[in-house]
Amino acid sequence: LREIVESSGAEDPMQGLTDAVSRHFKDLSCGRYEEVRMEGASPIGVRGKLELDTAILSQGTLGSLALATRLALAELYLDGMNGFLLMDDPFTDMDEARRRAAMQAVGSFAKDHQVLIFTCHPQHAAELVKVAGANELVVG
């Protein structure tokens, strides 16, 4: 990680993180939230019609926010490089609309980088093929 930061030449390796998390979260929350407040690399609040601390968000909304943060961090660190993203059951606490939005976001990310998702939910695996264009499933 140190080599990546040093080779980037950026004074602030986290520059753009808040905007990237907010952009992803807006999509993942189906437009309900427009902005994320960050403290370092950690989301501490969200803003839509209301401004809320992350401590009072539902499990599904927190899952979407966590995924938005992971995607944004992966984009920053993998910018212009080969790499992959590994996730374990990222859709578990999401309702159908959020899960569909999350799968589309993961599918978009997967156009540039390999994404490996582990899940014990056969329905989620099938949805990944349908919604995100996943092209290989390993069941076992």
Side-chain angles (χ1 to χ4, degrees):
L1 180 59
R2 184 179 303 144
E3 289 176 25
I4 294 169
V5 170
E6 289 172 359
S7 69
S8 74
E11 289 184 30
D12 179 7
M14 301 301 242
Q15 182 178 357
L17 179 63
T18 299
D19 291 339
V21 173
S22 294
R23 177 176 38 82
H24 282 295
F25 190 54
K26 182 177 182 178
D27 292 341
L28 293 172
S29 67
C30 303
R32 186 172 184 182
Y33 299 101
E34 299 172 6
E35 186 178 330
V36 176
R37 285 190 344 266
M38 304 285 287
E39 189 171 282
S42 300
I44 59 169
V46 298
R47 186 180 64 77
K49 290 182 180 180
L50 300 173
E51 191 163 334
L52 304 170
D53 288 338
T54 55
I56 63 171
L57 297 176
S58 70
Q59 286 296 104
T61 303
L62 282 173
S64 295
L65 183 56
L67 181 57
T69 304
R70 283 185 228 134
L71 289 172
L73 284 167
E75 286 173 355
L76 285 175
Y77 290 120
L78 294 175
D79 185 35
M81 297 186 324
N82 291 327
F84 63 92
L85 184 60
L86 176 67
M87 294 184 280
D88 184 20
D89 264 331
F91 314 116
T92 301
D93 294 318
M94 297 178 188
D95 61 31
E96 187 176 341
R98 286 184 202 146
R99 191 170 59 246
R100 182 172 293 281
M103 289 180 180
Q104 289 171 340
V106 169
S108 292
F109 183 85
K111 290 177 182 174
D112 297 319
H113 299 286
Q114 184 178 22
V115 178
L116 303 170
I117 297 176
F118 294 99
T119 184
C120 60
H121 300 277
Q123 177 187 354
H124 295 179
E127 285 178 302
L128 279 165
V129 171
K130 184 178 177 184
V131 174
N135 58 12
E136 187 173 335
L137 296 177
V138 178
V139 180

